[in-house]
Amino acid sequence: MIKVASYNMRKGIGLDRRRDPGRVLSVLGELDADIVALQEADRRFGTRASAIPPHMFEDRSDYVPVDLLGGRPYAIGWHGNALLVRKGAEVEESHALHLPTLEPRGAVAATIRIGETRLRVVGMHLDISGLRRRQQARAILNHVAEGEPLPTILMGDCNEWRATGGCLTDFGVHHRLVDTGHSFHSRRPVAKLDRIFATPDLEAVDAGVHRSPLAARASDHLPIWARFKAAE
């Protein structure tokens, strides 16, 4: 059984307008997932340094940021996208994905082994433009199709307000959408902007939105999660 989560952490800035990386790490501890996709994990300007100082992962969490080949030296992600794995997981390979865009957007991918389970994970943060979202979704899907056939999970902030159509249709051709629930806005969740998709060889046995009091303050998005087993 593998538990994954996706969290737009808003650069560590909570609803109180304070940047508090320790609070974000506490939310991640509450999630207790094996793999986490983060969005807005790096600061937007300058060196794009991680919003959570890297040493804090070692000192105050059970997670290790996945090293992205060719990434910026002070960042843990690519255009704000990052992957975390539980300490002890094996990352076989990882890389950034360049997406068609007019603004800083991207995705990150890794092949990960946890125990006997080996899978591909893609973390993403798509454009606010519907046309760009579909182009980015197709770029991600083309990348997955060109790689080794593996159980695959795609997750992140899709910026898709609709319940059907758009990039959801593109991802849904070969991946199942997991119904996690409403994650935005954290003060009053009314939209399912954050999504998790998986190939049919993975079965979602449980899923939801993490609604703790701490998560409700730490970002404008609530984290989403899903637990998978190999499909029979």
Side-chain angles (χ1 to χ4, degrees):
M1 200 83 71
I2 296 290
K3 184 178 181 181
V4 303
S6 178
Y7 188 23
N8 184 328
M9 55 174 278
R10 200 193 187 195
K11 307 176 189 66
I13 300 173
L15 299 191
D16 55 5
R17 300 186 181 181
R18 291 192 302 113
R19 189 187 305 275
D20 189 343
R23 178 167 55 188
V24 175
L25 286 177
S26 294
V27 173
L28 295 177
E30 292 177 346
L31 280 167
D32 193 29
D34 298 295
I35 304 168
V36 181
L38 294 176
Q39 301 87 51
E40 299 192 25
D42 296 336
R43 301 193 186 197
R44 187 173 181 85
F45 301 108
T47 61
R48 300 296 298 269
S50 172
I52 301 175
H55 72 86
M56 292 183 70
F57 287 105
E58 177 66 27
D59 298 340
R60 299 179 55 180
S61 85
D62 291 328
Y63 292 105
V64 177
V66 171
D67 183 34
L68 298 171
L69 301 180
R72 295 176 173 88
Y74 301 103
I76 63 168
W78 168 251
H79 289 310
N81 292 278
L83 293 173
L84 308 177
V85 295
R86 194 187 296 277
K87 291 174 181 176
E90 179 185 354
V91 179
E92 295 185 1
E93 63 85 25
S94 58
H95 51 276
L97 278 65
H98 297 261
L99 301 182
T101 182
L102 293 177
E103 58 178 320
R105 297 287 180 185
V108 291
T111 302
I112 299 167
R113 184 186 295 274
I114 299 177
E116 298 300 316
T117 302
R118 183 169 178 262
L119 72 163
R120 176 190 296 108
V121 177
V122 177
M124 57 191 172
H125 190 181
L126 303 188
D127 207 286
I128 58 174
S129 160
L131 175 61
R132 288 288 176 184
R133 278 198 301 274
R134 300 204 69 174
Q135 292 172 340
Q136 291 165 356
R138 291 164 186 163
I140 291 169
L141 292 168
N142 288 339
H143 171 81
V144 169
E146 292 169 358
E148 177 187 0
L150 280 174
T152 298
I153 295 172
L154 315 174
M155 54 183 170
D157 182 352
C158 291
N159 266 319
E160 183 64 73
W161 288 80
R162 295 177 292 179
T164 59
C167 69
L168 304 181
T169 297
D170 299 309
F171 286 126
V173 173
H174 298 295
H175 299 76
R176 295 172 178 167
L177 173 62
V178 179
D179 187 6
T180 53
H182 298 83
S183 58
F184 183 84
H185 186 282
S186 58
R187 182 179 288 113
R188 183 171 178 268
V190 297
K192 297 180 180 181
L193 300 188
D194 305 284
R195 307 277 188 162
I196 297 175
F197 305 85
T199 45
D201 47 9
L202 293 169
E203 178 184 350
V205 297
D206 200 8
V209 175
H210 184 68
R211 301 179 183 272
S212 75
L214 192 62
R217 300 192 304 273
S219 172
D220 56 350
H221 287 246
L222 294 170
I224 61 172
W225 59 272
R227 192 176 285 110
F228 291 95
K229 68 175 184 178
E232 298 177 356

